Amino acid sequence: MTVEPFRNQPIETFGSEEARREMREALKRVRAEFGRHWPLYIGGEWVDTGERIPSLNPSAPSEVVGTVAKAGKAEAEAALEAAWKAFRTWKDWPQEDRSRLLLKAAALMKRRRRELEATLVHEIGKNWTEASAEVAEAIDFLEYYARQALKYKYPSVEVVPYPGEDNESFYLPLGAGVVIAPWNFPLAIFTGMIAGPVAVGNTVVAKPAEDTPVIAAKAFEIFHEAGFPPGVVNLLPGEGREVGAYLVEHPRTRFINFTGSLEVGLWIHQAASRLAPGQRWIKRVFLELGGKDAILVDETADFDLAAEGILVSAYGFQGQKCSAASRLILTEGAYEPVLERVLERARRLTVGPAEENPDLGPVASKAQEEKILSYMEIGKGEGQLVLGGKRLEGEGYFLAPTVFTEVPPTAKIAQEEIFGPVLSVIRVKDFGEALEVANSTVYGLTGGVYSRKREHLERARREFHVGNLYFNRKITGALVGVQPFGGFNLSGTDTKAGGPDYLLHFLEMKSVAERF
Ligand code: NAI
Ligand code: MG
């Protein structure tokens, strides 16, 4: 098999009239399909059920983007059965052939790129560039894992020779696992969590988030067209607490690949550790959870550069990224100049229907809106509200970009994940204190430092305890293959998605010795 070296997909920023026209047309085409229904996908067949889940447009929640069938226990059983049946042959496919299927899926995704972007705009309220970045990331995962998987081909493990014996070790896939995804990267994270295990011979049952089943169904149209054998990938939209929990606790679930909230992640960790009747293995559990990510700026920094990066990191996709900056830690000398620049830029941000490509679209759902508004209220008692702090006019879930200053490091809005456009600014006396405050939450996902002082950067490199650290740039938008992504502490199990070791999580090593 000959493949070009991996390269990240370019992200469209819609600077050209040509690209803008394409996007407007794609948005219209997807809008014309509003209300379409997608069944479940089990064992290579589209299967309908009685119940339906509507997916709403958060820019205008009276609009139903589409509906999907809702899976229950019977469908979960059927999907696991199909996945195990498929595993019997998929595990023995030549690695090149499996990788080729991922590359085919990537090619199909590239062909439908604008449509997928438009779907993300309508279904979850991403602006155009955010949507483009996400589709690029989904393609990257397929392309990257297709190539990485070739590393684990039989007999790929180097062992020490031993006299009189033939010794070899090789990797085997685990079996049928469950993928449970969040709504905030409903194409990229969903695709990546499926593509990784599947690339190396596992099969999966995938449950998308309740708010984003339509983009998941489109991903499955692509997997179907790419030609994955029946049962290798199965789509099971449904309630997390019902079908999700059922799959987690099921004795036939071999591994769980989860991205989502801390609360649900901890429950899954516990539930998966209880042996179910008939269960014959210890489930492997991968959890990528929340963050309370901080950007530190010291007095030597380029303040304009810092303000630009802070804005993108805090308010990109309305702050609904696990990597989003939600704490801004400023040393005495940086406090006034940085705050002034951040506020000046934040005041100019536009908020509105995602279709119109504003800086900020709506937040994802009524539940998200309520949660974020409640944190805004809490913040008013904990710090000084200097910008936003409220809902904006319109049918959609539009929230104002918000800044609280003089926030104590121990405040709720400095400790808990808000997952919205809310930035808590914390004043510290020097860089040492800045690092101490940065490391003072239960999380450890991303972090950033703006400084021109080498000594500060090197100290942060060692002491800032996060899985993904960025200097003098934004702290969001990790690129597949370039910045392997995963968090420390309660941010997760540090699986490092898009990294060179990711696929090893879904393999086990067998050692065979023969004495002659
Ligand atoms: P969530 O935890 O509410 O839901 C995630 C998924 O779990 C959904 O599909 C949901 O239906 C399912 N679920 C809920 N309860 C379940 C249960 N008892 N058993 C099995 N499945 C269950 O998270 P949400 O709101 O969808 O996503 C936002 C969260 O995800 C944030 O905390 C964010 O930080 C985190 N996240 C972490 C990332 C990372 O790489 N560390 C990346 C993206 C998001
Ligand atoms: Mg929706």
Side-chain angles (χ1 to χ4, degrees), residues 22-274:
E22 275 178 24
M23 188 60 164
R24 281 193 298 264
E25 279 168 15
L27 285 162
K28 244 186 261 165
R29 277 202 310 279
V30 172
R31 182 169 272 287
E33 282 189 340
F34 272 12
R36 192 184 144 189
H37 179 69
W38 278 269
L40 315 174
Y41 186 76
I42 300 174
E45 308 276 345
W46 295 95
V47 191
D48 216 354
T49 61
E51 270 191 275
R52 294 183 168 207
I53 304 175
S55 176
L56 311 180
N57 176 1
S59 298
S62 59
E63 295 175 354
V64 178
V65 174
T67 61
V68 296
K70 183 174 162 184
K73 289 179 186 172
E75 291 79 26
E77 289 295 339
L80 276 171
E81 178 61 32
W84 277 109
K85 186 162 173 244
F87 181 67
R88 278 188 238 144
T89 47
W90 182 243
K91 70 180 167 59
D92 293 324
W93 271 46
Q95 184 54 56
E96 283 82 354
D97 298 5
R98 284 198 300 250
S99 290
R100 212 174 278 120
L101 262 178
L102 267 72
L103 295 175
K104 172 73 185 179
L108 293 171
M109 225 174 245
K110 282 180 211 168
R111 226 166 276 166
R112 289 175 66 173
R113 196 163 172 164
R114 281 291 107 80
E115 176 207 342
L116 296 170
E117 290 166 357
T119 306
L120 289 167
V121 171
H122 286 307
E123 188 174 35
I124 200 63
K126 298 211 169 193
N127 74 16
W128 300 5
T129 302
E130 292 288 346
S132 174
E134 171 159 8
V135 177
E137 189 180 1
I139 297 165
D140 283 353
F141 278 130
L142 289 164
E143 295 263 358
Y144 182 75
Y145 294 147
R147 288 166 174 81
Q148 288 294 319
L150 298 168
K151 286 199 308 209
Y152 303 106
K153 273 178 10 178
Y154 173 84
S156 57
V157 186
E158 211 178 296
V159 290
V160 173
Y162 191 79
E165 283 186 7
D166 172 43
N167 283 281
E168 66 167 8
S169 289
F170 48 89
Y171 291 110
L172 298 173
L174 299 171
V178 172
V179 166
I180 301 180
W183 50 260
N184 71 330
F185 284 88
L187 182 66
I189 292 180
F190 185 69
T191 299
M193 284 203 295
I194 293 169
V198 161
V200 289
N202 300 282
T203 57
V204 301
V205 175
K207 198 205 83 61
E210 290 85 335
D211 289 323
T212 49
V214 168
I215 190 73
K218 291 196 176 189
F220 267 72
E221 285 180 346
I222 287 169
F223 299 152
H224 179 73
E225 192 183 342
F228 283 98
V232 169
V233 293
N234 302 277
L235 176 66
L236 225 52
E239 292 282 337
R241 261 170 298 181
E242 295 167 15
V243 75
Y246 186 75
L247 289 166
V248 165
E249 294 184 309
H250 202 285
R252 298 187 80 192
T253 293
R254 181 64 185 86
F255 62 89
I256 299 152
N257 203 10
F258 175 81
T259 303
S261 63
L262 173 62
E263 187 194 359
V264 174
L266 290 180
W267 180 83
I268 289 176
H269 193 241
Q270 213 170 32
S273 71
R274 284 191 296 267

